[in-house]
Amino acid sequence: ALTGTNRNKATADINYETYTLAKANGARASIRILAGTMPPSNCSDCTAVSTENGRLFCNWVDQGMPE
């Protein structure tokens, strides 16, 4: 499991390390990516979601998060 800076300060309830966990949080993440709030603006040392990765993730969510 990732810890510390490798998790970009995500809380323990936000986890994308398995398909099941990613699917459980996918819709919430998609909304935040589209809103530009993932990662939060107050996290100065977090890695931003690239436009391409954000698009791919949101498309995956829109397609029902297939495995």
Side-chain angles (χ1 to χ4, degrees):
L2 298 177
T3 59
T5 57
N6 292 323
R7 290 187 41 78
N8 282 329
K9 297 185 181 176
T11 58
D13 64 320
I14 303 299
N15 192 322
Y16 298 92
E17 293 180 26
T18 67
Y19 169 75
T20 301
L21 293 169
K23 187 172 181 181
N25 293 297
R28 177 180 173 194
S30 181
I31 290 166
R32 297 216 32 222
I33 289 168
L34 292 172
T37 60
M38 184 173 173
S41 59
N42 65 348
C43 184
S44 62
D45 60 342
C46 292
T47 304
V49 176
S50 71
T51 300
E52 178 66 9
N53 283 341
R55 184 185 63 77
L56 289 170
F57 189 89
C58 291
N59 285 343
W60 174 69
V61 171
D62 290 344
Q63 293 173 13
M65 299 176 267
E67 189 167 5

